[in-house]
mmCIF file of all heavy atoms in Angstrom:
data_model
loop_
_atom_site.group_PDB
_atom_site.id
_atom_site.type_symbol
_atom_site.label_atom_id
_atom_site.label_comp_id
_atom_site.label_asym_id
_atom_site.label_seq_id
_atom_site.Cartn_x
_atom_site.Cartn_y
_atom_site.Cartn_z
ATOM 1 N N PHE A 7 8.570 -22.919 -18.061
ATOM 2 C CA PHE A 7 7.573 -23.199 -17.096
ATOM 3 C C PHE A 7 7.996 -23.087 -15.653
ATOM 4 O O PHE A 7 7.257 -22.661 -14.828
ATOM 5 C CB PHE A 7 7.025 -24.632 -17.369
ATOM 6 C CG PHE A 7 6.164 -24.735 -18.610
ATOM 7 C CD1 PHE A 7 6.615 -25.460 -19.683
ATOM 8 C CD2 PHE A 7 5.007 -24.057 -18.759
ATOM 9 C CE1 PHE A 7 5.895 -25.487 -20.867
ATOM 10 C CE2 PHE A 7 4.252 -24.013 -19.904
ATOM 11 C CZ PHE A 7 4.680 -24.823 -20.999
ATOM 12 N N THR A 17 4.949 -12.771 -4.202
ATOM 13 C CA THR A 17 3.799 -11.860 -3.769
ATOM 14 C C THR A 17 4.051 -10.504 -4.451
ATOM 15 O O THR A 17 5.170 -10.166 -4.841
ATOM 16 C CB THR A 17 3.827 -11.697 -2.200
ATOM 17 O OG1 THR A 17 5.086 -11.223 -1.853
ATOM 18 C CG2 THR A 17 3.544 -13.002 -1.577
ATOM 19 N N VAL A 22 7.888 0.593 1.393
ATOM 20 C CA VAL A 22 8.034 1.349 2.645
ATOM 21 C C VAL A 22 8.103 2.753 2.271
ATOM 22 O O VAL A 22 9.054 3.231 1.661
ATOM 23 C CB VAL A 22 9.352 0.884 3.399
ATOM 24 C CG1 VAL A 22 9.484 1.716 4.690
ATOM 25 C CG2 VAL A 22 9.291 -0.596 3.707
ATOM 26 N N ASN A 35 -3.068 12.452 -3.752
ATOM 27 C CA ASN A 35 -3.640 11.280 -4.595
ATOM 28 C C ASN A 35 -5.038 10.869 -4.003
ATOM 29 O O ASN A 35 -5.812 10.345 -4.746
ATOM 30 C CB ASN A 35 -2.694 10.073 -4.512
ATOM 31 C CG ASN A 35 -1.417 10.362 -5.202
ATOM 32 O OD1 ASN A 35 -1.179 11.358 -5.906
ATOM 33 N ND2 ASN A 35 -0.455 9.485 -4.941
ATOM 34 N N PHE A 38 -7.033 13.543 1.322
ATOM 35 C CA PHE A 38 -7.082 13.601 2.854
ATOM 36 C C PHE A 38 -7.032 15.085 3.206
ATOM 37 O O PHE A 38 -6.256 15.841 2.654
ATOM 38 C CB PHE A 38 -6.073 12.814 3.571
ATOM 39 C CG PHE A 38 -6.317 11.381 3.668
ATOM 40 C CD1 PHE A 38 -6.266 10.507 2.600
ATOM 41 C CD2 PHE A 38 -6.634 10.807 4.916
ATOM 42 C CE1 PHE A 38 -6.595 9.152 2.694
ATOM 43 C CE2 PHE A 38 -6.921 9.472 5.061
ATOM 44 C CZ PHE A 38 -6.920 8.625 3.931
ATOM 45 N N ALA A 50 0.264 5.620 10.746
ATOM 46 C CA ALA A 50 1.040 4.687 9.868
ATOM 47 C C ALA A 50 2.460 4.440 10.498
ATOM 48 O O ALA A 50 2.955 3.287 10.361
ATOM 49 C CB ALA A 50 1.157 5.321 8.504
ATOM 50 N N TRP A 78 -13.052 -5.939 8.876
ATOM 51 C CA TRP A 78 -12.934 -5.157 7.671
ATOM 52 C C TRP A 78 -12.554 -5.855 6.419
ATOM 53 O O TRP A 78 -12.829 -5.326 5.329
ATOM 54 C CB TRP A 78 -12.022 -3.988 7.937
ATOM 55 C CG TRP A 78 -12.431 -3.160 9.078
ATOM 56 C CD1 TRP A 78 -11.924 -3.183 10.372
ATOM 57 C CD2 TRP A 78 -13.541 -2.283 9.107
ATOM 58 N NE1 TRP A 78 -12.660 -2.371 11.142
ATOM 59 C CE2 TRP A 78 -13.652 -1.706 10.377
ATOM 60 C CE3 TRP A 78 -14.433 -1.811 8.077
ATOM 61 C CZ2 TRP A 78 -14.671 -0.811 10.722
ATOM 62 C CZ3 TRP A 78 -15.356 -0.862 8.470
ATOM 63 C CH2 TRP A 78 -15.431 -0.390 9.714
ATOM 64 N N LYS A 83 -9.604 -15.786 -0.378
ATOM 65 C CA LYS A 83 -9.453 -15.306 -1.735
ATOM 66 C C LYS A 83 -10.610 -14.439 -2.198
ATOM 67 O O LYS A 83 -10.644 -13.922 -3.292
ATOM 68 C CB LYS A 83 -9.077 -16.366 -2.699
ATOM 69 C CG LYS A 83 -7.788 -17.028 -2.458
ATOM 70 C CD LYS A 83 -7.442 -18.055 -3.535
ATOM 71 C CE LYS A 83 -6.274 -18.847 -3.189
ATOM 72 N NZ LYS A 83 -4.997 -18.172 -3.011
ATOM 73 N N CYS A 93 -7.830 -9.278 2.617
ATOM 74 C CA CYS A 93 -6.882 -8.742 3.513
ATOM 75 C C CYS A 93 -5.471 -8.675 2.897
ATOM 76 O O CYS A 93 -4.699 -7.662 3.056
ATOM 77 C CB CYS A 93 -6.771 -9.476 4.780
ATOM 78 S SG CYS A 93 -8.297 -9.513 5.794
ATOM 79 N N VAL A 108 -9.720 2.501 4.941
ATOM 80 C CA VAL A 108 -9.448 3.392 6.034
ATOM 81 C C VAL A 108 -10.545 4.518 6.117
ATOM 82 O O VAL A 108 -10.946 4.861 7.297
ATOM 83 C CB VAL A 108 -8.017 4.011 5.905
ATOM 84 C CG1 VAL A 108 -7.871 5.282 6.669
ATOM 85 C CG2 VAL A 108 -7.017 2.967 6.379
ATOM 86 N N ILE A 111 -13.484 2.930 7.856
ATOM 87 C CA ILE A 111 -13.354 2.714 9.219
ATOM 88 C C ILE A 111 -13.385 4.107 9.951
ATOM 89 O O ILE A 111 -14.070 4.146 11.037
ATOM 90 C CB ILE A 111 -11.936 2.106 9.486
ATOM 91 C CG1 ILE A 111 -11.846 0.741 8.869
ATOM 92 C CG2 ILE A 111 -11.544 2.105 10.975
ATOM 93 C CD1 ILE A 111 -10.370 0.091 8.790
ATOM 94 N N ASP A 121 -15.104 10.435 16.969
ATOM 95 C CA ASP A 121 -13.752 10.691 16.546
ATOM 96 C C ASP A 121 -13.292 9.427 15.712
ATOM 97 O O ASP A 121 -13.167 8.384 16.191
ATOM 98 C CB ASP A 121 -12.806 10.780 17.752
ATOM 99 C CG ASP A 121 -11.371 11.218 17.384
ATOM 100 O OD1 ASP A 121 -10.989 11.048 16.233
ATOM 101 O OD2 ASP A 121 -10.609 11.669 18.325
ATOM 102 N N CYS A 143 7.186 18.714 4.775
ATOM 103 C CA CYS A 143 6.613 17.892 3.656
ATOM 104 C C CYS A 143 5.878 18.743 2.630
ATOM 105 O O CYS A 143 5.755 18.211 1.467
ATOM 106 C CB CYS A 143 5.648 16.800 4.258
ATOM 107 S SG CYS A 143 6.413 15.671 5.387
#
Side-chain angles (χ1 to χ4, degrees):
F7 287 114
T17 56
V22 178
N35 298 346
F38 277 71
W78 301 103
K83 295 185 187 301
C93 297
V108 158
I111 296 168
D121 190 340
C143 298

